[in-house]
Amino acid sequence: MPRIQQLGASIVNKIAAGEVIERPASVVKELLENSVDALANRIDVEIEAGGSERIRIVDDGEGIHPEDLLLSITAHATSKIRTAEDLFGVHTLGFRGEALASIAEVSRFHVRSRTADSVTGMELVVDCGAVGTPQPCGCAVGSSFDITNLFTNTPVRRKFLKRPATEFGHIAEQFTRVALSHPRLHMRLVHNGKDVFDLPPTERLSERLELFYGRELSEGLIWVESETADCRLWGYVGHPSQTKSTRKGQYLFLNGRPISDRSLSHALTEAYRGLVMVGRQPIAFLFLEIDPALVDVNVHPTKSEVRFQDSQQLYRQLLSVIRTTFLGLPLETSLRVDPSGPVSHHARGPADPHQRHLSIDSSRGPHRPFSPHVSSPAVSGSSGPGFPSAGNTTVSVNGPSSSPGGSSPVSSTAESTSPETTTDEGVRALQIHDCYLVLETPEGMTVVDQHALHERILYEQFKQRMLDGEIEQQKLLVPETVELSSREAALVTEHADLLAKLGFGIESFGHNTVVVNSYPSRLRGLNFSELLQDLSDRLEQPEKAPGRRDILDSLLQMMACKAAIKAGHRLASEEIASLLEQRHLIDDAHHCPHGRPTALVLSRAELDRQFGRLG
Ligand code: ADP
Ligand code: MG
């Protein structure tokens, strides 16, 4: 083994650069953070060829003291903290004193800077770690950084750069994060000489969101706000109909710093459970303000991960603020007549100038606020992730089938079909196409999807009964054996305890055969082998290691879907009334468990306007 040697400054910087400066976007991120810390009002970013040719950032911030210019590119030199204690009170985005040294080590780095009380500026060039001599120069107050030849002295890293468009995409993302967390900053981004963003300063986050995401999306956003002793949380979350296939529309800022946090992402997903389609992700722009003493930002070189002193508490705060906000909102998807005439996908039919076109409007409409009856465990629970345990599950064998608000609108086959029904609340309803219920409401009219609504009601009831340990179970006098594939049999028997919570009594019978002793009464009449196959599909979820709660939820959804009345089923008048009356007994009657809307609303005002009854 050779003797131990102290590494030189240059190699130390290179090692650090490897961690901090991964790609051109990392340079942009660090420089933008510095400009924000320097209290700039305006930042201009110019990029060439995705940053591999050139990155230029100019700010009008406080500038670097002329005598500090050399220090600024020295590793572990910072104006932002002085002592170890300061680490627990970081109010700036930077504090590690690593970025400029790292960038200067792997590029040709040219800085010019001037403070307000200096007559001239100073400039300095560092060429891949070779430090020049600071020289006076003429420049405006503030700082400018010109980075060329990025990674030319680290050819491997340069080789791994993606296409300029891809690298620019990462840069734009970093730019976006700063722009969203600092709406008061005038920010401009230019790529290959073309303006990509030119964002005027604004006091309102919503205006900035509109510039980035367009009017339609930003108008559908829902404001959330909550404050505890330790944390103020505020921002916008998307309407459940505004989703993405990835988490890319989710932004989380802690004291102005963009962060990623698994637990908080999970809380967000939880908040939308049952409101968005499986596999879709909500969008969110959320800001946390926390005393810096309660969070450790010094966890990762890029500072994007942090450690909260009480992450459980934050989890609950985030989940509950969104859930409670949703409970107060009419989340029905509202039907809006598009005043601008036919939209493209409607334009196929013959152009009839008298026929107006309905489009689905994801924004909030002027609807009746719905009154939650059963509070969801997500809101009332205080235990963070995981179902409250249904510990002492007792199963009532052939118990009473209908309690008040009970679950059976389909009590008999529909013989006494009536063209029109009036519910106890006096709402007139009509079933059309054996599939939809059209309601006359004080606000206008609502169209309900009978299957989706019933599914939602059953889902909530199953869930509540499972939590109460009261799922009604049908015992089989003669247990039924079902042959499955070996994978299916293994999954079903492995999860027998979970299935028991839902009313299934299932045991292995050797090989690929299982025995069914009992099943949830509401699933009467279903084909067992098909049912067990579907169950096993749900048990084998694609995501890595799904939690018990996710599996249970997925099983509940499946049961609800199977037990619900189907489209094409003619309903009797009492069934329609019963179904509609149960709407108000559940937290979210507006979406089926898969996230499809259960009801569309066309307001009276909209009808009047379209028929020219209003001025
Ligand atoms: P850190 O931001 O962690 O302090 P950096 O290496 O990014 O470390 O920057 C080193 C120092 O250079 C900063 O502490 C700051 O004093 C100064 N500095 C860097 N960029 C700017 C800027 N745009 N305006 C004013 N000062 C700057
Ligand atoms: Mg910095």
Side-chain angles (χ1 to χ4, degrees):
M1 172 99 61
R3 298 286 303 278
I4 299 174
Q5 275 190 11
Q6 180 69 52
L7 294 178
S10 171
I11 177 148
V12 168
N13 288 352
K14 252 207 192 91
I15 292 171
E19 285 182 334
V20 184
I21 308 300
E22 198 191 335
R23 58 187 345 148
S26 330
V27 175
V28 174
K29 169 185 182 286
E30 293 294 338
L31 295 181
L32 285 176
E33 286 187 359
N34 282 342
S35 299
V36 169
D37 284 345
L39 306 178
N41 290 311
R42 176 178 177 139
I43 310 176
D44 285 82
V45 182
E46 281 170 50
I47 305 295
E48 273 166 41
S52 62
E53 294 294 319
R54 187 171 198 194
I55 296 171
R56 207 169 100 86
I57 297 200
V58 182
D59 72 43
D60 63 354
E62 291 176 333
I64 302 172
H65 190 282
E67 284 163 25
D68 283 353
L69 204 56
L70 265 182
L71 256 187
S72 75
I73 52 103
T74 311
H76 315 299
T78 178
S79 56
K80 300 171 192 175
I81 56 171
R82 293 193 182 274
T83 65
E85 270 107 74
D86 292 347
L87 266 183
F88 303 100
V90 176
H91 288 276
T92 48
L93 296 174
F95 60 89
R96 297 170 62 103
E98 271 179 340
L100 295 191
S102 298
I103 299 167
E105 193 62 44
V106 293
S107 69
R108 184 181 185 278
F109 171 97
H110 183 174
V111 53
R112 283 197 167 111
S113 195
R114 190 185 136 198
T115 55
D117 46 15
S118 324
V119 226
T120 63
M122 289 291 270
E123 69 181 324
L124 173 66
V125 175
V126 186
D127 200 350
C128 292
V131 184
T133 317
Q135 303 281 347
C137 72
C139 68
V141 173
S143 308
S144 71
F145 297 84
D146 199 348
I147 316 299
T148 47
N149 296 347
L150 183 64
F151 298 140
T152 43
N153 61 338
T154 52
V156 180
R157 191 145 287 195
R158 184 149 181 112
K159 211 174 118 215
F160 276 100
L161 288 184
K162 300 275 189 298
R163 290 182 308 123
T166 309
E167 294 298 340
F168 182 74
H170 290 284
I171 290 174
E173 178 60 27
Q174 295 297 343
F175 179 91
T176 306
R177 291 179 186 174
V178 177
L180 293 183
S181 49
H182 298 85
R184 278 183 211 134
L185 270 173
H186 184 163
M187 290 181 71
R188 198 161 142 256
L189 177 62
V190 175
H191 191 207
N192 297 335
K194 286 204 196 86
D195 260 22
V196 180
F197 290 112
D198 189 355
L199 310 170
T202 167
E203 290 296 313
R204 298 159 62 95
L205 170 64
S206 56
E207 274 172 32
R208 199 143 269 193
L209 287 170
E210 191 177 319
L211 285 179
F212 274 97
Y213 299 99
R215 205 190 181 107
E216 202 184 321
L217 184 139
S218 61
E219 279 183 351
L221 292 173
I222 297 164
W223 174 256
V224 294
E225 190 174 12
S226 98
E227 189 158 1
T228 64
D230 291 339
C231 175
R232 192 169 112 75
L233 191 165
W234 55 275
Y236 288 99
V237 294
H239 186 281
S241 62
Q242 304 170 312
T243 56
K244 286 188 170 286
S245 61
T246 66
R247 289 193 178 277
K248 282 203 175 126
Q250 301 178 358
Y251 289 85
L252 201 56
F253 300 95
L254 164 73
N255 298 338
R257 177 195 307 283
I259 57 161
S260 55
D261 186 90
R262 277 175 59 104
S263 159
L264 292 176
S265 298
H266 189 264
L268 190 62
T269 308
E270 278 297 298
Y272 281 78
R273 184 185 284 278
L275 292 175
V276 301
M277 299 252 197
V278 177
R280 303 292 298 176
Q281 293 291 342
I283 53 179
F285 307 94
L286 293 169
F287 295 78
L288 305 170
E289 288 167 21
I290 299 181
D291 178 349
L294 299 178
V295 37
D296 185 356
V297 286
N298 189 24
V299 182
H300 195 261
T302 64
K303 301 162 284 183
S304 61
E305 279 169 38
V306 299
R307 207 170 283 137
F308 296 106
Q309 209 172 70
D310 192 349
S311 70
Q312 282 278 315
Q313 159 70 22
L314 277 180
Y315 183 100
R316 289 192 294 268
Q317 188 178 353
L318 177 56
L319 181 61
S320 99
V321 70
I322 297 177
R323 275 295 187 165
T324 0
T325 305
F326 283 179
L327 285 176
L329 287 178
L331 284 179
E332 285 136 306
T333 307
S334 73
L335 276 177
R336 191 189 50 173
V337 180
D338 186 352
S340 61
V343 281
S344 55
H345 61 274
H346 286 123
R348 276 177 268 128
D352 176 356
H354 301 296
Q355 194 187 326
R356 298 299 183 91
H357 294 259
L358 293 174
S359 65
I360 291 180
D361 177 16
S362 57
S363 66
R364 294 161 268 174
H367 323 301
R368 168 190 84 268
F370 70 98
S371 44
H373 210 253
V374 188
S375 72
S376 116
V379 179
S380 57
S382 56
S383 53
F387 254 132
S389 97
N392 50 349
T393 306
T394 50
V395 177
S396 65
V397 181
N398 291 334
S401 69
S402 258
S403 48
S407 56
S408 184
V410 199
S411 45
S412 59
T413 42
E415 289 147 21
S416 55
T417 303
S418 136
E420 197 187 274
T421 305
T422 305
T423 67
D424 283 351
E425 299 142 326
V427 173
R428 287 197 293 158
L430 178 73
Q431 185 187 33
I432 59 168
H433 301 302
D434 292 350
C435 179
Y436 298 114
L437 307 175
V438 180
L439 319 183
E440 181 196 44
T441 63
E443 293 80 15
M445 66 179 259
T446 301
V447 186
V448 171
D449 178 327
Q450 64 188 40
H451 171 72
L453 174 61
H454 194 208
E455 192 182 358
R456 179 83 221 177
I457 292 169
L458 289 177
Y459 166 79
E460 294 291 350
Q461 287 177 345
F462 282 151
K463 187 155 124 185
Q464 196 53 50
R465 290 188 181 181
M466 184 195 69
L467 294 175
D468 298 343
E470 280 176 14
I471 288 208
E472 294 155 32
Q473 196 187 40
Q474 178 71 54
K475 288 243 181 220
L476 286 166
L477 281 179
V478 184
E480 191 154 329
T481 54
V482 181
E483 190 156 350
L484 298 166
S485 76
S486 53
R487 175 192 67 94
E488 291 161 348
L491 280 165
V492 170
T493 40
E494 200 181 300
H495 291 90
D497 65 329
L498 235 156
L499 294 170
K501 281 193 191 308
L502 303 172
F504 290 98
I506 296 176
E507 281 167 40
S508 169
F509 198 60
H511 296 296
N512 303 338
T513 309
V514 296
V515 182
V516 182
N517 299 308
S518 60
Y519 63 92
S521 314
R522 290 304 305 254
L523 300 184
R524 185 170 306 146
L526 292 178
N527 172 314
F528 275 135
S529 110
E530 200 185 289
L531 180 63
L532 292 187
Q533 281 166 17
D534 288 356
L535 282 177
S536 66
D537 285 347
R538 296 273 171 152
L539 291 168
E540 188 188 54
Q541 303 231 336
E543 317 132 45
K544 276 181 247 148
R548 275 171 77 82
R549 176 170 179 163
D550 294 287
I551 297 180
L552 271 173
D553 207 66
S554 163
L555 294 176
L556 286 170
Q557 284 180 22
M558 188 198 99
M559 283 169 53
C561 182
K562 286 190 183 291
I565 41 166
K566 304 289 179 293
H569 185 108
R570 174 75 49 90
L571 296 179
S573 184
E574 317 83 70
E575 293 172 327
I576 295 176
S578 161
L579 183 58
L580 292 175
E581 271 146 29
Q582 291 178 58
R583 265 182 106 185
H584 312 296
L585 298 177
I586 52 181
D587 282 347
D588 177 20
H590 310 307
H591 294 83
C592 78
H594 304 299
R596 280 194 295 123
T598 61
L600 302 174
V601 172
L602 186 55
S603 73
R604 175 76 204 262
E606 197 63 66
L607 283 170
D608 286 346
R609 190 158 66 242
Q610 291 305 321
F611 287 108
R613 289 185 178 276
L614 289 183

